[in-house]
Amino acid sequence: MEKGLSVVDLRVSAIGGKQILNGVTFDLPIGEIRVIMGPNGSGKSTLALTLAGSPDFKVDSGSAKLDGEDILSLSAEQRAKKGLFLAFQRQIEIPGVILKDMIWEAYRANWNGQGRPSIIDFRKTLAATAQGLSFSESFLDRAVNEGFSGGEGKKSEVLQMLMLKPRIALLDEIDSGLDVDSLRVVASALNDFARNGRSALIITHHYNLLDYISPDLVYVMKAGKIVDKGGLEIAKIIEKEGYSRWGVD
Amino acid sequence: MQSDTYQIGLKNEEAVKKMSKDKGEPDWMLKKRLYSLSVFESKPMPTWGPDLSGLDLRDLAYYVSPNVGRADDLEDLPENLKKTFDALGIPEAERKFLAGNGAMYQSEVIYERMKDQLKKQGVIFMSMDEAVNKYPDLVQKYFMTRCVPPTYHKFAALNGAFWSGGTFLYVPKGVKVEMPVQVYFLVDHPSMGQFEHTIIIAEDGASVEYIEGCSAPAYIKGGLHAGVMEIFVGKGARVRVTTIQNWSKNVYNLVTKRAIVNEEGRMEWVEASLGSKVTMLYPASVLSGRGARAEHLYVSFASDGQVLDTGAKITHAAPDTSAYVISRSISKGNGRAIYRGQVRVNPGAKGSVNSVKCDSLLLSEESSTATFPVEEVYEEGSDVSHEASAGKIAEDQLFYLMSRGFSEEEARALIVRGFMEPVTKKIPLEYAVEFNRLIDLEMKGAVA
């Protein structure tokens, strides 16, 4: 595959710890929404964090390519500049760094349009995008993730994704902590996002979000490996039976 | 120049007498100077704080004439100063949001201007030298009497002997000065002491915000800044002093600031310290009337070769007084940032509350920080607390920001700015922007 993300036999250990990913292989072509489902502890977050360049993990072997180019040798910053985005599962607080200022700075840092970005246009788009997500504008004036509830934290991640317009978005447990209305709003945002030459990888252990999104492919991850793939029917099986058919841990 | 510069060659006492005579001062001020000189000479150099052995007091010019005339319009200043002030954005600030604006260059105030409206309301804003002659009774009542007497410490006494320049700001009863008053301090003599003396009086119910900016170009050899500030906050009055200190990194900045706060009065100190080789800065609030309040907000950025020793001295001398301190320091290279505080609750100051929070961020292995709190609580019915923390930039915060496309350097600068935010948000926006820009410059190359 040329365009998109391609991961082959990726083996990853925690720094100073044991191997967590034992050979992960999957693709995310441009324009698609794909899902990785797996039980807790299967290595889903490790996969997302490793792909984004977390310093907490060490790649033992395997490859990850974006548009055919290796990304594993790049810094987190360079990966982001190439269009990779991670919506974090865990909320990382950055005291005193105001959310809207941080997004503006990132928007500027990633700007590749013509001329200089306009802060007025930015603010309008930000306000409209926040509104579209039912994300209270008062949170834009708060420090990043400080005092955010789980749901607000998730929406803040989606808001950043929509503003920064990455080509590849990895969304780690984006559905946890969201109520039904919020799930709907986020799903709709993701459906719109993954058209126009962008893709999303939804990493989850719940079915919830899939009520509102039709993924192009569902992967099943278990014990650090992709063990199956298929259509939405796989997700439905997981919802009914859990992961028992792929072996019990 | 020679005749306008007092230093070695002239004995201290002769220098003081000549200075007082040249300034045309009344006799009481000469006496005050001579008494201060005797105190200065009798007190040893302080040894409890940062190393001052590099400071040779005999090496300094104690008075340097600016050799420019007084101007009533920034346009009338000599070209080189105009350029400097333009670069600092001072003319624009004056137009946009200052009630009063002044500039002190070397040892004299060379410029000051205040909005007519405030003059009509009886506000006095002038150089201390001028005030001594124009308002002798008022100045004599407040000048180094009960707020900062010459015996306060060695450098207060030095200031008392050789003071020149500084501001006299008087706000009559009930007058609220809506916009800040600013004075900019500039030194470009290779080796001098700047000893300005400032007095701010806010009568009952009055309010005023005073902003100081300080700078010296990097080419000077060194020097001493030993200013004194005495503040009187009347009943229900409010004074905020904001200082943005960016002296050249070979200046000893040993300043004295003290406020006496009356019933229900409120004193706010905002101290942003960036420059100097050594800073010793311990603004004091004496909460002398029931319900008086003080806020001390400090941010210090100690780079390679700098020791920034700051703290708050707070005395709760009446019931129901409250004070809180937020100190945020950052150390880089082998820089050292210290919090040294003193809280005293007098017997009878029931219901008093004091809270001190010091947080330090260390950007390198060689940088260091320390906290020395002293608490003397003589009243059981009071609440005194102290919290301190020191740490490094968290890896997960760095990764989070880098995953948004920031370089490591940019990410660190953002985190540092965020760390300082509880203090910098209190700085008027125009100054905060400039301060953050200076921090960004300091952060350049901070990544090993």
Side-chain angles (χ1 to χ4, degrees):
Chain A
M1 184 196 67
E2 268 304 293
K3 292 282 176 190
L5 184 66
S6 169
V7 174
V8 177
D9 198 25
L10 190 63
R11 289 164 196 270
V12 171
S13 306
I15 296 289
K18 58 169 189 160
Q19 197 166 68
I20 301 169
L21 301 185
N22 306 305
V24 172
T25 300
F26 76 92
D27 290 322
L28 179 63
I30 288 297
E32 288 198 12
I33 297 179
R34 292 192 173 187
V35 177
I36 294 184
M37 294 185 80
N40 286 329
S42 57
K44 302 188 303 296
S45 284
T46 298
L47 176 62
L49 289 164
T50 302
L51 291 173
S54 165
D56 293 339
F57 302 100
K58 180 169 95 30
V59 174
D60 300 318
S61 65
S63 70
K65 290 179 177 169
L66 181 56
D67 300 342
E69 283 178 47
D70 167 62
I71 57 165
L72 294 177
S73 60
L74 302 179
S75 69
E77 174 208 0
Q78 289 165 323
R79 296 181 204 197
K81 290 235 160 82
K82 282 201 177 286
L84 191 77
F85 178 92
L86 171 62
F88 282 65
Q89 179 192 1
R90 193 165 72 83
Q91 286 178 31
I92 291 163
E93 289 183 15
I94 311 187
V97 176
I98 306 304
L99 179 60
K100 70 169 184 221
D101 297 344
M102 194 267 285
I103 303 178
W104 164 241
E105 296 284 345
Y107 183 82
R108 281 205 305 186
N110 293 294
W111 179 256
N112 50 18
Q114 300 231 312
R116 287 160 63 139
S118 143
I119 190 157
I120 294 166
D121 293 346
F122 167 82
R123 284 194 181 150
K124 278 187 199 152
T125 315
L126 182 66
T129 311
Q131 205 171 24
L133 290 170
S134 317
F135 181 74
S136 162
E137 279 196 55
S138 66
F139 287 101
L140 292 172
D141 293 319
R142 290 210 205 163
V144 176
N145 282 324
E146 217 172 36
F148 285 30
S149 72
E152 288 148 358
K154 293 297 154 73
K155 283 186 181 177
S156 156
E157 295 294 298
V158 175
L159 174 66
Q160 292 174 49
M161 178 192 80
L162 296 175
M163 291 306 295
L164 299 178
K165 295 191 167 45
R167 293 180 55 240
I168 303 276
L170 312 173
L171 301 123
D172 191 5
E173 302 284 352
I174 199 68
D175 47 351
S176 63
L178 291 182
D179 57 30
V180 178
D181 289 339
S182 302
L183 268 180
R184 215 175 269 143
V185 177
V186 165
S188 144
L190 283 174
N191 278 327
D192 292 344
F193 170 83
R195 297 197 170 82
N196 308 317
R198 305 179 197 286
S199 342
L201 182 70
I202 296 168
I203 296 168
T204 181
H205 64 277
H206 290 302
Y207 182 83
N208 302 353
L209 200 55
L210 303 182
D211 275 335
Y212 313 103
I213 286 180
S214 299
D216 296 287
L217 194 66
V218 177
Y219 291 102
V220 181
M221 187 162 177
K222 202 125 194 241
K225 276 186 123 142
I226 300 290
V227 292
D228 205 350
K229 64 180 173 184
L232 201 55
E233 71 283 355
I234 287 198
K236 285 187 175 144
I237 291 168
I238 292 170
E239 197 201 7
K240 269 195 202 136
E241 305 173 4
Y243 295 92
S244 50
R245 93 164 38 196
W246 293 279
V248 186
D249 285 318
Chain B
M1 274 287 252
Q2 199 66 350
S3 63
D4 283 323
T5 305
Y6 309 140
Q7 56 184 55
I8 23 173
L10 266 184
K11 284 212 173 91
N12 280 340
E13 195 175 316
E14 287 169 48
V16 165
K17 282 180 179 162
K18 175 169 171 16
M19 195 163 166
S20 186
K21 193 173 168 228
D22 289 352
K23 284 179 180 287
E25 286 175 352
D27 194 47
W28 64 265
M29 182 53 85
L30 172 63
K31 282 187 178 140
K32 187 134 250 174
R33 286 184 185 275
L34 290 171
Y35 172 62
S36 299
L37 181 64
S38 69
V39 174
F40 167 69
E41 286 173 342
S42 69
K43 281 195 188 278
M45 289 288 269
T47 52
W48 45 265
D51 178 17
L52 298 177
S53 59
L55 173 64
D56 190 347
L57 293 171
R58 291 165 310 177
D59 234 14
L60 300 170
Y62 284 1
Y63 175 91
V64 178
S65 164
N67 284 343
V68 296
R70 277 285 295 272
D72 296 320
D73 192 313
L74 283 169
E75 281 301 307
D76 299 336
L77 289 173
E79 208 52 41
N80 60 331
L81 288 176
K82 229 164 72 180
K83 260 192 196 155
T84 306
F85 289 145
D86 277 347
L88 292 162
I90 287 174
E92 201 194 348
E94 178 177 302
R95 275 197 307 277
K96 279 192 180 160
F97 71 99
L98 293 175
N101 187 19
M104 176 158 164
Y105 175 53
Q106 318 294 40
S107 299
E108 296 280 357
V109 173
I110 54 164
Y111 170 76
E112 82 222 342
R113 189 189 231 177
M114 181 174 59
K115 296 229 184 305
D116 291 338
Q117 173 63 24
L118 293 171
K119 280 185 204 157
K120 282 184 203 142
Q121 290 178 290
V123 175
I124 303 169
F125 170 58
M126 61 176 57
S127 77
M128 184 57 71
D129 309 69
E130 202 180 344
V132 168
N133 292 312
K134 281 206 177 145
Y135 300 94
D137 296 345
L138 209 49
V139 175
Q140 192 171 6
K141 182 176 166 196
Y142 291 105
F143 192 99
M144 296 195 107
T145 52
R146 60 197 183 98
C147 191
V148 180
T151 48
Y152 195 60
H153 59 70
K154 188 174 179 76
F155 292 98
L158 178 63
N159 180 287
F162 288 102
W163 76 269
S164 181
T167 302
F168 184 74
L169 179 57
Y170 176 86
V171 185
K173 202 170 166 177
V175 173
K176 299 194 186 315
V177 182
E178 305 287 349
M179 290 188 292
V181 173
Q182 174 197 271
V183 174
Y184 205 88
F185 296 84
L186 186 67
V187 163
D188 65 0
H189 182 275
S191 184
M192 73 171 283
Q194 193 178 49
F195 304 127
E196 89 282 357
H197 198 109
T198 289
I199 293 180
I200 299 172
I201 301 158
E203 297 280 19
D204 296 352
S207 77
V208 68
E209 174 170 8
Y210 180 76
I211 302 173
E212 302 181 305
C214 320
S215 75
Y219 63 78
I220 67 170
K221 261 193 342 201
L224 170 64
H225 174 245
V228 166
M229 187 181 275
E230 302 183 85
I231 298 176
F232 299 86
V233 184
K235 287 181 187 167
R238 178 175 177 160
V239 174
R240 175 189 281 182
V241 169
T242 300
T243 301
I244 295 157
Q245 184 270 103
N246 191 27
W247 293 116
S248 152
K249 284 174 187 161
N250 43 18
V251 168
Y252 285 82
N253 182 47
L254 314 177
V255 295
T256 307
K257 298 181 174 186
R258 194 163 191 241
I260 297 176
V261 191
N262 278 299
E263 232 172 277
E264 297 295 330
R266 181 175 182 147
M267 179 66 215
E268 295 169 50
W269 300 100
V270 181
E271 295 283 347
S273 305
L274 199 59
S276 81
K277 176 186 172 77
V278 173
T279 279
M280 292 173 80
L281 167 71
Y282 319 105
S285 296
V286 181
L287 304 173
S288 65
R290 181 185 280 271
R293 288 190 287 171
E295 277 178 31
H296 293 236
L297 303 174
Y298 304 152
V299 55
S300 312
F301 193 107
S303 283
D304 226 18
Q306 289 183 281
V307 179
L308 302 181
D309 200 299
T310 62
K313 276 178 85 169
I314 298 163
T315 308
H316 295 266
D320 301 322
T321 52
S322 60
Y324 73 85
V325 179
I326 296 177
S327 167
R328 294 277 162 119
S329 76
I330 296 118
S331 314
K332 189 192 124 183
N334 65 8
R336 182 163 168 80
I338 293 150
Y339 180 82
R340 197 184 298 273
Q342 191 184 52
V343 174
R344 188 188 157 98
V345 182
N346 286 354
K350 281 193 185 4
S352 290
V353 179
N354 188 292
S355 147
V356 177
K357 289 193 173 110
C358 312
D359 297 288
S360 309
L361 195 57
L362 298 169
L363 297 182
S364 65
E365 293 301 323
E366 312 79 51
S367 62
S368 59
T369 183
T371 307
F372 302 108
V374 175
E375 288 168 5
E376 299 167 62
V377 181
Y378 301 106
E379 173 55 57
E380 274 187 25
S382 62
D383 179 3
V384 175
S385 66
H386 178 98
E387 286 171 37
S389 80
K392 294 176 183 175
I393 288 180
E395 286 294 326
D396 59 354
Q397 294 178 347
L398 266 185
F399 169 55
Y400 185 86
L401 290 173
M402 288 175 72
S403 80
R404 297 304 182 246
F406 295 107
S407 68
E408 186 177 343
E409 192 170 278
E410 290 164 341
R412 280 178 191 274
L414 265 177
I415 292 166
V416 165
R417 269 202 235 167
F419 176 74
M420 300 185 307
E421 193 259 359
V423 179
T424 50
K425 74 177 173 198
K426 296 277 186 162
I427 300 176
L429 183 67
E430 291 77 359
Y431 296 85
V433 167
E434 173 65 7
F435 185 74
N436 282 332
R437 198 186 61 81
L438 292 169
I439 293 295
D440 284 353
L441 283 177
E442 289 289 340
M443 291 300 293
K444 285 253 153 65
V447 178

